Amino acid sequence: MFHGSMTAIITPFDQQGNVDEESYRQLIEFQIDNGTDVIVPCGTTGESATLNYHEHNRVIDICIEQVNKRVPVVAGTGSNSTAEAIEISRHAKEAGADGLLLVSPYYNKPSQEGIFQHYKALAEQVALPQILYNVPGRTGSNMTAATTIRLAEFKQIVAIKEASGDVTQASEIIAKAGDKIDVLSGDDFLALPLMACGAKGVISVSANIIPRQVKQMVVAAQENRWDDARKLHLQLLDVHQAMFIEANPVPVKTAASLMGKCRPGVRLPLVDLQPENLTRLKAVLSKHQLI
């Protein structure tokens, strides 16, 4: 249902630290102009962790309004509280989102049964296509392939964003439930390897600054032009790596700022990119003629 090059879009802030609506709308247009297939607001890259409820809802609303049905919008509405996730998800549905991105509950460290029951409640109470999001490095717990395969039985659950870094785990999901649930790469640097195993695309950080190039790589893989896809993957690898020289979204937001697309500001406890990493980032962006 949601395939291809999907951008986990950043949330720009103005000089006072408020959501910069004008820059945000321009970023959305940049994505659409460069062929992005799906836009994902309020994910980790969109700094959902430090948006208050009003801001979270507003950022989703702006995205849906600006996109205006030109591409699907999959709203990040996950929470470590099941009740809160349901509430935010219902707002996104009412606003006109095409789907939901639901991070596995963080900090609580629920059992596999707890993770299953969390997603089961969302699937049963919010009638919208849902993408599970497994990112152990952020949540503190891994959602196993077995749990994902159980959840694939729910019709509302259509995909999983796999950011465990475990190609074997993603492959097991495809092997055992690929006819019921799509796997999407949650890591740019694993997009090609996972697509070679049968994944349907990537929810990308790098596409915030190189949407056309990420789309080209994904299309090459979709069309089984593996030599072209591999060449593009290797060309872009240093960009993908640079996006994680510090905690996401600090590097990508800094990169977008250097390209003149928004201010670099992030919210505490995140801070601006450290000077030595800024030098490294500028070198990569210059190499790719982005600045």
Side-chain angles (χ1 to χ4, degrees):
M1 179 177 288
F2 303 117
H3 297 167
S5 179
M6 296 164 266
T7 302
I9 196 165
I10 58 178
T11 303
F13 301 128
D14 63 21
Q15 199 160 2
Q16 288 72 44
N18 300 313
V19 174
D20 182 349
E21 182 173 327
E22 182 179 353
S23 294
Y24 187 46
R25 291 180 184 275
Q26 291 173 359
L27 289 168
I28 292 167
E29 289 303 314
F30 176 60
Q31 292 299 316
I32 293 173
D33 289 346
N34 283 277
T36 293
D37 295 302
V38 178
I39 297 179
V40 184
C42 293
T44 304
T45 311
E47 292 179 77
S48 58
T50 51
L51 297 175
N52 64 39
Y53 285 117
H54 171 76
E55 290 172 326
H56 195 128
N57 290 338
R58 180 61 183 150
V59 168
I60 291 170
D61 292 347
I62 294 168
C63 188
I64 292 167
E65 177 186 308
Q66 187 66 27
V67 170
N68 195 26
K69 297 296 182 183
R70 288 175 288 174
V71 297
V73 173
V74 174
T77 57
S79 173
N80 64 331
S81 162
T82 305
E84 289 178 4
I86 290 170
E87 179 182 351
I88 301 168
S89 297
R90 283 175 172 165
H91 171 87
K93 182 179 186 297
E94 292 169 3
D98 300 285
L100 306 173
L101 177 69
L102 300 163
V103 67
S104 184
Y106 44 87
Y107 189 77
N108 316 56
K109 297 188 76 172
S111 65
Q112 293 301 307
E113 184 61 26
I115 294 171
F116 175 83
Q117 292 296 334
H118 171 82
Y119 282 123
K120 177 177 181 287
L122 279 152
E124 291 176 341
Q125 296 189 46
V126 186
L128 208 61
Q130 298 172 14
I131 301 176
L132 313 178
Y133 180 16
N134 183 39
V135 56
R138 294 270 185 176
T139 63
S141 61
N142 178 50
M143 180 165 63
T144 65
T147 299
T148 301
I149 291 163
R150 285 180 72 195
L151 289 164
E153 299 298 326
F154 292 93
K155 67 176 183 178
Q156 300 293 357
I157 296 174
V158 299
I160 178 168
K161 177 184 177 183
E162 254 296 337
S164 63
D166 187 339
V167 176
T168 301
Q169 177 165 297
S171 297
E172 184 178 351
I173 296 166
I174 295 167
K176 295 182 178 178
D179 58 335
K180 297 176 182 176
I181 189 169
D182 292 330
V183 170
L184 307 169
S185 178
D187 297 304
D188 281 289
F189 39 83
L190 285 180
L192 178 60
L194 287 184
M195 290 190 75
C197 294
K200 302 298 185 182
V202 59
I203 299 181
S204 171
V205 174
S206 298
N208 278 282
I209 59 169
I210 50 168
R212 178 177 54 82
Q213 295 93 321
V214 173
K215 176 66 178 284
Q216 288 173 338
M217 191 282 292
V218 168
V219 169
Q222 289 173 324
E223 295 178 350
N224 296 318
R225 293 186 286 108
W226 296 109
D227 287 344
D228 292 339
R230 182 170 54 252
K231 180 180 178 181
L232 287 163
H233 165 73
L234 295 174
Q235 286 176 348
L236 299 177
L237 187 59
D238 59 348
V239 178
H240 302 329
Q241 292 171 322
M243 294 305 96
F244 291 89
I245 53 177
E246 287 184 23
N248 178 44
V250 177
V252 70
K253 213 170 193 183
T254 305
S257 172
L258 291 168
M259 293 168 65
K261 297 192 176 298
C262 66
R263 294 187 70 258
V266 289
R267 287 181 173 174
L268 286 169
L270 297 181
V271 295
D272 292 342
L273 200 65
Q274 297 302 294
E276 63 273 19
N277 287 328
L278 179 60
T279 299
R280 291 172 59 193
L281 177 64
K282 285 180 176 179
V284 172
L285 296 178
S286 295
K287 174 188 169 185
H288 289 268
Q289 300 182 322
L290 296 170
I291 60 172

